Amino acid sequence: MRDLLGLAERKKSRLILALDFVSGDPAVFADRLLAALEPLVVGVKVGLPLALRMGFRGVCELVERYGSGYYFLADFKLADIPDVVREELALLSEAGFDGSIVHLFPMGLEEALSGVRGHDVFGLVAMSHAGSRLLDEHFEDLLRYASRLGIRGVVAPATKPGLVARARAFLPEDYLILSPGVGAQGAEPGSALRHGATFEIVGRSITASEDYYGAAERVVESQRRVIGE
Ligand code: O7E
């Protein structure tokens, strides 16, 4: 399993690239981005839209080809009964992914997650869009639950910086906070880090840009001003 924090230190970056939307042939598009962005991007979050376009075999090939330079995160937002979640995590780990995103609201996941080895689990405690009322109302509950599970970290929205700060204050120190919502959804690069996030997840403001290298570079430069590198 790749060392997420080690890669971040080496690249002096806290950028995780969200790959959901593609233009043209998905394999060619992903290949072009990943070949170019390795100096700037620490992790690649593979979303379901990309997997549906490329097919799971195509995604696995991508993970294999670029595995030496990136941490690979499977974002299929698992939210099933514990036995199924356990099996999904085992298969994603086998496919070469270093970590997965899991919804915590089904709860009862203690046993399923305690057996997971060599694969990081990140739980969602709130969402970045304006309408996520039900989840956000249970933010404190989900945060408490996440802290008891002994997982690698949580996903908390950059668009709601108060929640990121609250998560940082509440969670054990070794929990990572991944923060989406930077760029296309309005949060400024570096802003979630300033509130205590460990990584910022950025998708369309890089993937939809004609100058995707320049867009990623601007994000990382802002981040370096916050983390002092
Ligand atoms: O808006 P973009 O294009 O920068 O992409 C944001 C990505 O973060 C996208 O893949 C989306 O699925 C994810 N995300 C959110 O945007 N908001 C959330 O609340 C949670 C996630 C998410 O789960 O990301 C997993 C870490």
Side-chain angles (χ1 to χ4, degrees), residues 54-204:
M54 284 186 83
F56 195 62
R57 191 184 296 268
V59 166
C60 293
E61 281 166 15
L62 203 65
V63 174
E64 202 178 307
R65 192 162 331 124
Y66 290 101
S68 61
Y70 296 104
Y71 177 95
F72 273 94
L73 192 53
D75 182 13
F76 304 131
K77 295 194 178 62
L78 313 181
D80 214 313
I81 56 168
D83 285 344
V84 174
V85 171
R86 183 194 292 115
E87 178 72 352
E88 289 167 340
L89 291 170
L91 291 170
L92 289 166
S93 179
E94 221 175 276
F97 281 100
D98 302 292
S100 288
I101 308 295
V102 169
H103 265 301
L104 298 179
F105 65 76
M107 306 201 62
L109 296 166
E110 290 80 348
E111 212 188 301
L113 299 188
S114 68
V116 179
R117 300 274 176 272
H119 188 78
D120 293 332
V121 172
F122 296 90
L124 276 151
V125 291
M127 291 192 82
S128 57
H129 60 299
S132 67
R133 182 181 56 80
L134 204 61
L135 206 61
D136 294 5
E137 274 176 12
H138 292 277
F139 169 74
E140 297 285 338
D141 248 357
L142 292 168
L143 209 52
R144 267 194 298 278
Y145 184 54
S147 74
R148 285 204 309 272
L149 279 174
I151 53 180
R152 189 77 200 277
V154 302
V155 178
T159 49
K160 301 168 187 173
L163 299 188
V164 177
R166 175 80 190 110
R168 185 67 287 162
F170 181 82
L171 289 169
E173 239 175 71
D174 61 341
Y175 268 52
L176 308 183
I177 299 176
L178 314 184
S179 209
V182 170
Q185 296 180 57
E188 290 296 321
S191 62
L193 298 184
R194 211 173 297 116
H195 286 87
T198 330
F199 288 92
E200 293 179 332
I201 294 169
V202 186
R204 289 161 291 176

Side-chain angles (χ1 to χ4, degrees), residues 12-13 15 40 216-225:
K12 303 194 185 316
S13 162
L15 173 56
L40 297 170
E217 203 167 37
R218 282 189 290 281
V219 171
V220 173
E221 276 165 8
S222 299
Q223 295 182 333
R224 286 177 183 157
R225 282 196 286 277

